[in-house]
Amino acid sequence: NDAQILSFFYNDVNNIVNKTMDEEYLSIKEILNMYLDALSLDKDKALFVAQKEIAPILNSKEKARFFLDILTIVFEDILNKSLGGDITIKSYNDIIDKLATKLNHIDKSLVEIMTVRGQIDLNLNIASIIDHITIFINKE
């Protein structure tokens, strides 16, 4: 699971192994899993998780960028799955299947995640960014 995600960021096995024990990575992965589960349930749950669980953890631009980078990878897989293609993060297959059938505009959500990720340096409020993404993903 970790190797599949971290191979997008590192090409050295030692870096990947070291990062799997990094507390920052583990906390971001944990909130990512909570977020994806909440998105698969309903929009109110997803917004609650975004506000109460994710925003407090993403207290720096670096953490927010990393979270959005991983979320981008997952949404690329969701889009691929919805189009009948293969996914790269095989350990997320179940949640990707759920979200591929549940979400309406995966392609636009992916573009919005990448756009917002690029705006982090504009000193926007990270909690507001996560709320915005959540609302955008869940709009009908």
Side-chain angles (χ1 to χ4, degrees):
N1 180 17
D2 293 324
Q4 290 171 349
I5 294 170
L6 292 171
S7 66
F8 283 91
F9 304 98
Y10 306 101
N11 58 5
D12 178 49
V13 174
N14 292 328
N15 284 341
I16 292 173
V17 170
N18 290 337
K19 196 68 170 175
T20 61
M21 295 177 266
D22 180 64
E23 248 183 76
E24 183 176 299
Y25 166 71
L26 293 173
S27 66
I28 289 174
K29 186 178 88 167
E30 180 181 347
I31 61 171
L32 175 74
N33 293 338
M34 289 172 40
Y35 187 62
L36 295 174
D37 287 338
L39 283 174
S40 73
L41 297 174
D42 66 48
K43 56 185 164 190
D44 293 332
K45 176 75 173 168
L47 195 55
F48 177 80
V49 168
Q51 292 172 347
K52 298 297 180 194
E53 302 292 339
I54 296 173
I57 300 291
L58 302 181
N59 54 12
S60 72
K61 290 179 184 180
E62 294 77 26
K63 289 179 184 178
R65 275 190 215 99
F66 191 57
F67 175 81
L68 291 172
D69 286 343
I70 298 173
L71 189 61
T72 298
I73 295 164
V74 171
F75 264 77
E76 287 172 348
D77 273 354
I78 295 168
L79 181 60
N80 285 338
K81 187 69 158 191
S82 71
L83 298 172
D86 292 330
I87 62 172
T88 54
I89 307 176
K90 306 282 188 215
S91 58
Y92 279 63
N93 189 51
D94 291 342
I95 193 69
I96 288 171
D97 279 344
K98 284 181 192 175
L99 292 172
T101 58
K102 182 180 185 340
L103 300 178
N104 294 324
H105 48 87
I106 301 161
D107 55 339
K108 291 178 184 172
S109 296
L110 177 59
V111 170
E112 191 66 18
I113 293 166
M114 293 187 305
T115 301
V116 167
R117 194 259 186 231
Q119 296 174 338
I120 288 178
D121 288 331
L122 300 177
N123 290 327
L124 299 175
N125 182 290
I126 294 171
S128 296
I129 289 172
I130 300 303
D131 287 351
H132 168 76
I133 288 295
T134 305
I135 291 166
F136 192 92
I137 290 169
N138 283 306
K139 75 179 184 178
E140 303 285 323

